Amino acid sequence: MKRLLSGLLALLTVLSLTPAAHAEALAVTAQACILMEKTTGQVLYAVNEHQQLEPASVTKVMTMLLVMEAIDSGALAYDDMVTASAYACSMGGSQIWLKENEQLTVEDMLKAVCVVSANDCSVALAEHLAGSAEAFVERMNQRAKELGMADTHFENPTGLPASGHVTSAHDIAVMSRELILHHPDIRRFTTIWMDTLRGGESSLSNTNKLIRFYEGATGLKTGSTNAAQYCLSATAERDGMELIAVILKSPTSPQRFESAKVLLNYGFAAYTLVTADPPQPLRQLPVTLGDAPAVQVRLEGENTFLTTKSRAAGIEVQVELEERLDAPVEAGRQVGKLTAVSDGETLAVIPIVTEQSVARLTYWQIFQRCLRMAFCGGAA
């Protein structure tokens, strides 16, 4: 177990990466910011990332996450009808002007949340899913706790001003990553530039201007209030790598978008995802005195890691494996490692573990095996 844990820790710690927060300052105009890579969760740049600030409508990333989790689990369907309550219609701020008892599908309401940050639809979805906005907020805070969002407390599903409603750039990146990593269908909505609802009667134009003006933009959510100023969780993908740039408390709307572009440009220019495959297929390892003669082995966890582009070109992959195992062998036992190296520096270490268990032969089984060997040898 200690060997396995040490191997996993080595995998999670990519020695070649030095967060840019400690290396150079980027031209970001905001109180707090962070740049995170989606697949690994690696933080590439951060300033005041744990400072508790008001997130405005970036709050809706959690609302979107809970709705998508319900859809993907089968508890909710895109074509379910949602009825707008008087309370949902009273939200104000960004909205599509729902009328009390008006019905729209989950898909249309989610689209309105993602594209125009509709507060009325956010509350209507919350009430439909949890029974009340208050119950939904409890789910939001519980999910935040499960995700390790220690800087966060939600008071509503919209991000409208409320005492104690705070989060951090780090926590927004965490919930944004959870959404885009496990619920990629959200892109159907977050990448919309312009659309309509109600049979063409209501026009939608995305509040996230990066969707139209930044190559590879995939989302995700804008927000602004007088107190929060201008906020953004921006996601974009290029060459198979998706980045999350969070901007909190930027003085103007153009500055939040420009700051997000600075972060994203930096990430795409400096980093790349690399897949470290063994030079040859991993062989079975023979097992002494086992009820099976050999055991198959595999890489433990993902073999994709993040590194700087300067190191990616010269990566060499080395595999170390034990020659033979003595039974019993437990499944998941570390029996070797794959190491990715560039210019003499270790970039990642991935444990190699057994796929299944192999029990030790009993004395009677060993005796029977000896008899068979003797008999076969005599007959020959």
Side-chain angles (χ1 to χ4, degrees):
M1 179 60 72
K2 287 182 178 178
R3 286 184 294 178
L4 178 58
L5 288 175
S6 64
L8 288 172
L9 286 173
L11 169 62
L12 294 173
T13 305
V14 183
L15 301 178
S16 66
L17 295 181
T18 302
H22 303 293
E24 60 180 289
L26 299 180
V28 174
T29 307
Q31 181 69 36
C33 69
I34 196 170
L35 178 66
M36 179 182 287
E37 193 278 319
K38 178 190 73 174
T39 300
T40 62
Q42 178 74 35
V43 174
L44 307 182
Y45 187 87
V47 175
N48 298 329
E49 69 271 29
H50 288 289
Q51 184 177 355
Q52 288 184 313
L53 296 167
E54 294 182 43
S57 284
V58 180
T59 295
K60 295 185 179 79
V61 172
M62 179 59 79
T63 302
M64 293 152 59
L65 173 61
L66 293 181
V67 171
M68 288 304 301
E69 287 180 340
I71 291 170
D72 288 345
S73 71
L76 195 64
Y78 281 124
D79 58 1
D80 287 351
M81 299 304 296
V82 179
T83 302
S85 69
Y87 178 66
C89 297
S90 72
M91 286 299 102
S94 301
Q95 57 186 307
I96 62 165
W97 307 100
L98 287 173
K99 305 299 183 184
E100 185 177 357
N101 295 321
E102 181 179 1
Q103 290 188 318
L104 291 176
T105 62
V106 167
E107 178 160 347
D108 281 349
M109 287 208 174
L110 183 57
K111 181 192 297 184
V113 172
C114 294
V115 178
V116 296
S117 196
N119 294 318
D120 45 6
C121 291
S122 295
V123 173
L125 285 167
E127 292 175 332
H128 182 80
L129 193 56
S132 69
E134 292 78 13
F136 188 80
V137 171
E138 289 182 9
R139 293 191 187 184
M140 294 173 72
N141 285 314
Q142 177 59 37
R143 195 70 182 95
K145 183 178 180 181
E146 292 168 356
L147 292 173
M149 297 166 56
D151 308 322
T152 298
H153 178 77
F154 295 116
E155 288 287 340
N156 58 58
T158 62
L160 288 167
S163 177
H165 187 98
V166 293
T167 186
S168 66
H170 170 270
D171 286 4
I172 290 172
V174 167
M175 66 178 177
S176 298
R177 176 176 182 256
E178 183 72 12
L179 176 60
I180 64 175
L181 181 63
H182 297 296
H183 308 282
D185 202 39
I186 196 66
R187 283 191 184 192
R188 291 204 298 118
F189 308 102
T190 59
T191 56
I192 292 171
W193 174 237
M194 299 187 74
D195 206 338
T196 60
L197 293 176
R198 299 178 174 121
E201 294 180 4
S202 301
S203 298
L204 305 178
S205 181
N206 205 318
T207 58
N208 181 5
K209 305 312 175 188
L210 297 183
I211 294 302
R212 182 177 181 184
F213 299 109
Y214 189 80
E215 179 189 351
T218 57
L220 189 60
K221 191 69 201 71
T222 60
S224 64
T225 64
N226 289 337
Q229 297 186 304
Y230 293 89
C231 308
L232 176 65
S233 178
T235 57
E237 183 175 18
R238 294 181 186 175
D239 299 324
M241 181 175 71
E242 192 163 13
L243 300 178
I244 304 159
V246 178
I247 302 294
L248 288 181
K249 208 164 187 178
S250 188
T252 69
S253 182
Q255 284 175 312
R256 70 173 161 183
F257 293 124
E258 286 303 314
S259 294
K261 287 195 288 186
V262 166
L263 290 177
L264 293 169
N265 287 341
Y266 167 75
F268 287 128
Y271 295 93
T272 187
L273 281 174
V274 175
T275 299
D277 291 318
Q280 299 172 342
L282 294 175
R283 60 182 174 83
Q284 290 187 329
L285 294 183
V287 179
T288 302
L289 296 180
D291 63 358
V295 63
Q296 184 59 51
V297 299
R298 60 174 173 81
L299 296 176
E300 173 72 9
E302 298 294 331
N303 61 328
T304 298
F305 63 95
L306 196 70
T307 188
T308 58
K309 286 187 174 181
S310 61
R311 289 187 171 95
I315 289 178
E316 297 180 1
V317 177
Q318 304 165 356
V319 172
E320 298 177 45
L321 272 176
E322 295 186 31
E323 290 296 323
R324 173 177 290 274
L325 304 175
D326 293 327
V329 177
E330 66 276 15
R333 170 180 166 183
Q334 185 173 347
V335 293
K337 61 183 179 180
L338 179 150
T339 305
V341 180
S342 179
D343 293 330
E345 291 189 45
T346 298
L347 305 185
V349 179
I350 304 171
I352 298 173
V353 300
T354 53
E355 277 194 351
Q356 65 272 341
S357 299
V358 178
R360 185 179 177 85
L361 293 172
T362 64
Y363 289 118
W364 174 243
Q365 289 172 320
I366 295 172
F367 177 70
Q368 289 180 311
R369 178 176 290 187
C370 291
L371 284 179
R372 285 195 299 269
M373 292 175 63
F375 178 77
C376 290

